[in-house]
Amino acid sequence: MASNVPATDPSVYDSYKSKWSTLPDTAESWLARAREVSEVLAQDAAQRDQENKSPRAEIALLKHSGLLKLLGPKKYGGGEQPWSVGYQAIREVAKGDGSIGMLLGYHLLWSTTANVVGTPEQIERTHELIITNNYFVGGAVNPRDSDLKITSDGDSIVFNGAKFFNTGGVVSDLTVLEGVLEGTDSHIFALVETRQPGIQFAHNWYNIGLRLTESGGVRIENVRAPWTDALGWDATQKKPHENILATSFAALLLPTIQLVFSNFYLGIALGSLQFASKYTTTTTRAWPYGGDNKSAATDEFYILERYGEFFAHLRAAEALADRAGDQLTTLYTKYNSNRTALTPQERGEVVEWVASVKIVTTDVGLKVTSGVFEVTGARATSLKVGLDRFWRDVRTHTLHDPVAYKRREVGRYVLLGEHPTPTWYT
């Protein structure tokens, strides 16, 4: 870490290391742990958002909680929970702090990428490395940038280039790099140690929302990884394993991350409603010039009506997100030991569930996080209140890839029965 980059102090959460000394052992207890983390983060989320410091302390809190291990196999010390539980945990953490919910989501994706595109040996080795060390994983994977260039040098691959965005890299132990092998159009994912001279972070993430995600730029210069770490590749032949990378199973990586996005959008929106409701019941005043004056804001018809609308739509979005999470989890469970058996049709059906969730959570997230100001009042716009962070967080990431294309995709599915060709965003 650059010495002049302000960061939060991990020692503020030291007490949670002993408080959470054992891992949860059921889905319900894992989600209870996620809610505890969310409650801790919510206490000063507005202040931390405004200070915009590198989230060293927040990552330490995630490590103390055990949530980084949630999806990992028990034999290495993980929780061995399915993605359906992982998505709900992301949602819970995002209620308290959208940035940290996002970081947890990306970590769970990158720390299990080998499960989708790696060889059996790479899967085991990666899990053991990450879980036994309680590592946090970031990623410099941004398809809209020119891909990192990869050259082969004996038993190693060498990455060079830059990414305008990376997520969580500054505070990570390991970073996922992705690029194209020189002379081919083949992509390679590999995990590397973050703290090395060839990885230089720009420390330029100063955006309106998700301010604690460290999503700024990074330059990669002569970063080496052994060929054996090239996920899904034959290190001897230096060729991709076609029965791994050229399968519909490998293409599940894209809907998996898209559903990560939707769940932290949903968590942020739910958090905004919880936050606003407390403010309304304690601080918002009834409007005295309506002709049907009430003594309390909680008696105002329009306030009750609006909260009811928001709540109902969020409940519907949660049900849809859970259904999609269950659908995706079913595919992972069914085809984990026989990846080539997953058909494009089966993948395509799940992709449309995930796209539907993305559309709905984007719409309801923006509607609720902006609409809560109408039921809290003018004083709720104060920076000290911090209600604005929820909208800023949702607004920032919902621009990641245009939701209009998701609507078009689902429209083609409805009218023509078409499934999209797998891309970096489908």
Side-chain angles (χ1 to χ4, degrees):
M1 181 182 72
S3 59
N4 62 338
V5 177
T8 53
D9 181 5
S11 67
V12 300
Y13 297 127
D14 280 351
S15 62
Y16 292 97
K17 187 173 184 178
S18 57
K19 179 180 179 180
W20 293 327
S21 59
T22 58
L23 292 181
D25 57 4
T26 65
E28 292 75 15
S29 57
W30 275 106
L31 294 178
R33 178 66 56 83
R35 283 190 286 272
E36 288 184 78
V37 171
S38 183
E39 289 166 2
V40 172
L41 293 169
Q43 293 174 16
D44 61 348
Q47 179 183 342
R48 289 183 295 100
D49 168 82
Q50 292 169 27
E51 291 175 348
N52 197 34
K53 294 180 179 179
S54 190
R56 299 276 169 185
E58 293 81 351
I59 295 302
L61 183 69
L62 289 180
K63 289 185 175 185
H64 297 333
S65 73
L67 288 176
L68 300 185
K69 305 178 181 182
L70 188 150
L71 301 181
K74 288 183 177 179
K75 64 182 175 181
Y76 299 125
E80 207 165 306
Q81 294 297 310
W83 260 112
S84 54
V85 176
Y87 287 130
Q88 292 181 55
I90 293 165
R91 195 187 308 164
E92 291 295 339
V93 173
K95 290 177 184 178
D97 189 320
S99 289
I100 310 309
M102 175 176 160
L103 288 178
L104 174 62
Y106 274 71
H107 163 83
L108 292 177
L109 184 282
W110 296 131
S111 66
T112 58
T113 296
N115 290 1
V116 191
V117 298
T119 66
E121 185 275 334
Q122 289 170 333
I123 293 171
E124 293 300 315
R125 180 158 48 87
T126 301
H127 278 312
E128 184 175 15
L129 173 67
I130 294 171
I131 297 170
T132 58
N133 291 288
N134 200 15
Y135 281 158
F136 174 76
V137 184
V141 180
N142 178 24
R144 292 204 64 189
D145 286 344
S146 297
D147 288 292
L148 297 183
K149 295 178 175 60
I150 302 174
T151 54
S152 180
D153 183 14
D155 292 332
S156 298
I157 53 177
V158 184
F159 290 86
N160 278 283
K163 292 289 187 183
F164 189 82
F165 295 114
N166 86 106
T167 299
V170 172
V171 291
S172 69
D173 302 294
L174 301 173
T175 296
V176 174
L177 299 182
E178 176 276 326
V180 175
L181 181 63
E182 187 178 39
T184 76
D185 58 0
S186 298
H187 292 255
I188 298 177
F189 288 93
L191 276 165
V192 301
E193 291 186 6
T194 302
R195 295 174 184 85
Q196 56 176 295
I199 298 180
Q200 296 292 326
F201 295 103
H203 300 288
N204 60 350
W205 182 246
Y206 199 73
N207 287 42
I208 64 169
L210 296 170
R211 288 161 59 81
L212 272 67
T213 60
E214 283 290 11
S215 295
V218 60
R219 177 162 292 281
I220 309 297
E221 295 182 351
N222 296 318
V223 173
R224 304 176 73 89
W227 261 109
T228 52
D229 285 354
L231 295 181
W233 283 65
D234 183 319
T236 302
Q237 299 294 323
K238 297 180 174 56
K239 293 182 178 180
H241 287 286
E242 293 300 320
N243 63 340
I244 294 176
L245 294 177
T247 64
S248 294
F249 190 92
L252 286 178
L253 192 64
L254 293 315
T256 302
I257 186 63
Q258 285 285 320
L259 199 50
V260 166
F261 300 163
S262 293
N263 274 281
F264 65 74
Y265 299 169
L266 183 51
I268 293 166
L270 288 162
S272 75
L273 194 69
Q274 292 177 356
F275 188 99
S277 64
K278 291 178 182 177
Y279 186 92
T280 295
T281 55
T282 59
T283 306
T284 302
R285 296 177 295 179
W287 183 246
Y289 304 108
D292 182 24
N293 298 347
K294 306 297 183 184
S295 60
T298 52
D299 293 326
E300 290 272 21
F301 173 84
Y302 82 95
I303 289 178
L304 295 171
E305 179 269 342
R306 194 61 54 86
Y307 271 110
E309 180 185 6
F310 291 159
F311 185 69
H313 282 265
L314 287 170
R315 270 191 164 175
E318 279 197 286
L320 179 61
D322 287 343
R323 177 71 179 272
D326 289 342
Q327 296 275 341
L328 189 57
T329 295
T330 296
L331 291 191
Y332 276 126
T333 302
K334 184 176 180 180
Y335 294 108
N336 182 55
S337 59
N338 187 14
R339 304 186 201 183
T340 58
L342 175 64
T343 67
Q345 175 76 14
E346 288 174 295
R347 179 197 181 271
E349 289 294 323
V350 167
V351 164
E352 298 311 328
W353 278 100
V354 172
S356 297
V357 179
K358 181 73 173 293
I359 294 166
V360 170
T361 55
T362 297
D363 290 347
V364 74
L366 291 171
K367 180 177 181 178
V368 172
T369 57
S370 62
V372 288
F373 288 98
E374 299 169 11
V375 289
T376 50
R379 290 184 297 172
T381 62
S382 168
L383 287 178
K384 291 182 179 179
V385 174
L387 185 58
D388 60 306
R389 66 185 172 90
F390 298 101
W391 177 83
R392 289 187 287 102
D393 286 350
V394 172
R395 179 69 284 176
T396 296
H397 202 281
T398 49
L399 300 173
H400 178 277
D401 51 293
V403 73
Y405 287 93
K406 284 287 184 288
R407 295 191 183 104
R408 182 185 68 177
E409 173 192 321
V410 174
R412 295 190 70 86
Y413 171 71
V414 172
L415 292 178
L416 305 173
E418 292 182 4
H419 296 129
T421 301
T423 71
W424 285 105
Y425 295 97
T426 54

